[in-house]
Amino acid sequence: MLKKNIKTIIAALLFALTMGSVSYAADDAVLLSLISKAKENNPLIGAAHEKTIKAQAAVKEASAKMGPKAALLAAGLWQENEVTVNLPMMGLSLPVISRSVYAAAIGFVQAVYTGGSLTASKEASVLAKDAAMAQECRVVQSVENSVRLSYYNGRRAQAKEKVAQESLLLTKKHLERAETLFRSGLIAKGDVLRTKVAVAEAEMNLIKANNAVQLAQTALERAVGSSVEAALFKTPAATPSAQPEKTAIAESAAKSAYNKRAELKMYDLLSRQADKIAAAAKGQKLPQIMAAGLLSTVDGSNEDLLPDSKTEWRLGVGAYWNIYDGGEITAKTNQAKAQAKELLYMLADMKNIIKMEVTQAQLNLRSAESRLAVAQRRVAESEEDYRITRRRYDERVGTTLDMLDARLALINSRTELIDALYDIEIAKANLAYAMGE
C-alpha cells in the first residue's frame, strides 16, 4: 500500500509536468481578463488620461487666445430724485437726468499682430498634447507589463506551494514507514528523529509558500488597481508548457525598439515644444498690435433737453512695444532653449537605456531557455534517483539519509523547473515591454 501511494505521488509530479500546457490556455484568458480590468481600474492609467485631457484643453485655450474676445455690458441707475442743473440768472432748475437710467454696450478685442507669440504658443500646446498622449500610451504598456509580471509571479508562487505540499506528503509517508520499521526493530530511533526534522522543515516551507501566494495576490491587486477574486488563487496553477516555443531574437531589436518606444517620441515632442515656447517668448519683444470696437446705447435722459436714447459706436487700434524689460523676455527665451537641449540629451540617454533594457531582456530570455533544458534533465534524473533510493530503502540496503537527500533533490529540481518555466514567460513579457509593445 505504501509503495502504491508513493508511486501515485511521483506520477502526479510527472503528470503536472506533461499536462500543464493543457490548462495554460485557460490561464491566458484569465491574464487577458486581468489586463482588461487593469485598464479600467488602475489609477495610473486614469491619471495619465486626465493629463491628456488637460493638454487637449490647453490646445483649445491657446487657440482661443488667437481669436477675438467679445463682451456685453448692461447697467442701470435708479434714484429717488432727478438730477437737475440750477440756472440762478434765469431762476430755473432744469432736470437733465431722469430717475431711471439704462445703459448697454457690446465690444470686442482682437490681436492683430503679436510677433508670432500666439501662433508659437498654440504649436507648443499641440506638441505638449501629443507628448501627453505618448506618455499615456507608455503608462498603459507599463501597467499591462506589471499585471503580467505579477500574474506570472503569482502562478509561480502557486506552483511552488503545490510542490511544498507534495514535499510534505512525501516526508510524512516516509515518516510512517520509518516508524513502522523502528517498531519492528529494523532501524535506530535516530532515523525516526531525522525524518521528523525533515517533516518540520517541510511544514515550514509550506507556511512560507502559503505566505508567498498571499503576497503575490496583493502585488497583483496593486497592478490591477482593484481587488482580485480570491478564487483565482485557489484554482490549480497551470504550469506553462514544458517545451515553450523559443522566441526569435533579432540583432536589430534595439533599432526596432527606437521606433516603437513612446518615451523617445515624448522627449522629441517636448524638445520641440520647448523651442516653440522660446519662439513665443521671443515674439513678445516685437510690437503687439490690438484692434477693438464698441457699440453702446444709453436710455433714460430727460426727454425735454436730450434725446430719449443715444447709440454710438467706436473703433480703435492700439500698439504696445516693450523696448526694455530688464532682460526678462531674453531670460525666458534662454530658459526654453536650454530646456529643449536638455530634453535632447535625455532623449539620447533614453536610447542607451532602451538598448540596455532590450539587451538585458534578451539575455534573461536566453538564460531561462537554457536553464529549462537543464532543469528538465535534472527532474528526470532526480525522479529516477528517488525511485531507486526508495526501492533500496524498502529492501534495507539504503539509509534514511539517502531517502531524505533523494527527496530533497527531487523537490529542488521540481522547483528549479518551475522557476525556469516562469522565468521564460517573464523574460518574454519584459522583452515585449522593452520593445515598446
Side-chain angles (χ1 to χ4, degrees):
M1 182 66 181
L2 180 60
K3 292 182 179 181
K4 183 177 180 181
N5 289 336
I6 296 178
K7 289 180 179 179
T8 301
I9 296 171
I10 300 299
L13 287 171
L14 291 170
F15 182 78
L17 285 174
T18 57
M19 296 301 292
S21 60
V22 175
S23 58
Y24 195 58
D27 265 20
D28 287 340
V30 173
L31 177 57
L32 293 176
S33 175
L34 290 172
I35 291 175
S36 177
K37 188 175 182 180
K39 290 180 179 180
E40 297 176 358
N41 299 289
N42 191 286
L44 294 178
I45 293 179
H49 182 65
E50 292 301 323
K51 186 175 182 179
T52 300
I53 294 176
K54 176 183 176 183
Q56 291 172 341
V59 173
K60 293 182 179 180
E61 178 186 4
S63 299
K65 289 181 178 180
M66 299 180 68
K69 306 293 186 296
L72 288 171
L73 171 66
L77 176 62
W78 299 272
Q79 52 190 355
E80 182 178 358
N81 300 312
E82 297 175 334
V83 177
T84 60
V85 175
N86 294 321
L87 301 174
M89 296 180 65
M90 300 178 63
L92 298 175
S93 178
L94 301 178
V96 294
I97 300 178
S98 63
R99 296 180 180 180
S100 301
V101 179
Y102 305 94
I106 181 171
F108 77 91
V109 177
Q110 170 66 56
V112 177
Y113 178 73
T114 61
S117 60
L118 291 181
T119 301
S121 295
K122 179 182 177 181
E123 292 173 348
S125 64
V126 171
L127 292 169
K129 181 258 298 181
D130 293 340
M133 293 176 66
Q135 185 180 18
E136 181 181 0
C137 177
R138 190 55 177 170
V139 169
V140 171
Q141 292 177 349
S142 177
V143 170
E144 287 182 3
N145 190 59
S146 179
V147 172
R148 291 181 186 277
L149 299 187
S150 299
Y151 179 77
Y152 289 138
N153 283 325
R155 284 309 198 185
R156 183 209 303 266
Q158 268 192 295
K160 288 186 176 182
E161 181 185 39
K162 183 178 179 181
V163 170
Q165 293 170 347
E166 293 164 347
S167 173
L168 180 59
L169 181 60
L170 286 176
T171 310
K172 286 183 175 180
K173 291 293 183 182
H174 177 64
L175 178 59
E176 293 177 4
R177 176 62 173 163
E179 289 176 341
T180 300
L181 294 175
F182 173 70
R183 287 193 294 269
S184 301
L186 299 177
I187 61 173
K189 186 175 182 180
D191 291 338
V192 177
L193 295 176
R194 191 174 292 116
T195 305
K196 288 183 176 180
V197 171
V199 169
E201 182 182 3
E203 289 174 343
M204 291 183 64
N205 290 335
L206 180 57
I207 293 173
K208 293 178 181 179
N210 292 336
N211 184 61
V213 170
Q214 294 177 6
L215 292 176
Q217 181 176 356
T218 301
L220 182 58
E221 289 178 347
R222 164 68 177 83
V224 173
S226 63
S227 61
V228 175
E229 294 81 358
L232 175 65
F233 277 81
K234 291 182 180 179
T235 57
T239 306
S241 172
Q243 296 294 338
E245 295 182 2
K246 289 192 175 183
T247 303
I249 299 177
E251 296 298 329
S252 60
K255 293 182 180 180
S256 178
Y258 294 158
N259 298 325
K260 297 179 182 179
R261 287 286 290 265
E263 295 97 326
L264 295 183
K265 180 180 179 180
M266 181 181 67
Y267 281 128
D268 176 64
L269 289 169
L270 291 177
S271 176
R272 289 159 56 192
Q273 179 207 15
D275 284 331
K276 293 298 180 181
I277 293 175
K282 187 176 181 181
Q284 294 177 7
K285 299 178 70 175
L286 299 175
Q288 312 291 304
I289 302 175
M290 309 294 289
L294 178 68
L295 177 64
S296 62
T297 180
V298 178
D299 181 68
S301 300
N302 188 291
E303 59 182 7
D304 296 328
L305 295 180
L306 299 173
D308 187 58
S309 63
K310 184 178 181 181
T311 301
E312 58 183 12
W313 58 267
R314 298 181 181 87
L315 291 176
V317 176
Y320 169 78
W321 195 346
N322 185 0
I323 59 175
Y324 180 75
D325 61 357
E328 179 183 353
I329 293 178
T330 301
K332 289 182 178 179
T333 304
N334 293 336
Q335 287 179 35
K337 289 182 177 179
Q339 184 180 9
K341 292 182 179 179
E342 176 189 359
L343 289 166
L344 289 177
Y345 283 120
M346 294 176 68
L347 187 149
D349 181 63
M350 178 54 65
K351 287 185 177 181
N352 294 331
I353 293 175
I354 290 173
K355 183 178 180 180
M356 179 190 68
E357 291 177 349
V358 171
T359 302
Q360 288 178 341
Q362 289 176 328
L363 293 174
N364 289 336
L365 180 56
R366 288 173 178 169
S367 173
E369 290 175 342
S370 299
R371 287 191 292 112
L372 176 62
V374 176
Q376 289 172 330
R377 185 177 70 249
R378 182 180 174 185
V379 167
E381 292 171 350
S382 62
E383 288 170 351
E384 179 63 15
D385 176 61
Y386 188 83
R387 184 188 64 80
I388 294 173
T389 303
R390 188 190 68 245
R391 177 172 295 181
R392 286 173 54 83
Y393 184 81
D394 291 340
E395 295 177 357
R396 303 307 310 129
V397 293
T399 65
T400 296
L401 187 59
D402 293 337
M403 276 292 297
L404 296 177
D405 287 344
R407 178 198 61 83
L408 182 61
L410 176 62
I411 297 304
N412 287 343
S413 65
R414 178 76 171 102
T415 302
E416 289 293 334
L417 179 58
I418 291 171
D419 281 334
L421 288 170
Y422 281 103
D423 282 347
I424 289 176
E425 299 301 323
I426 289 177
K428 287 180 179 179
N430 283 332
L431 179 59
Y433 180 65
M435 293 293 295
E437 299 173 354

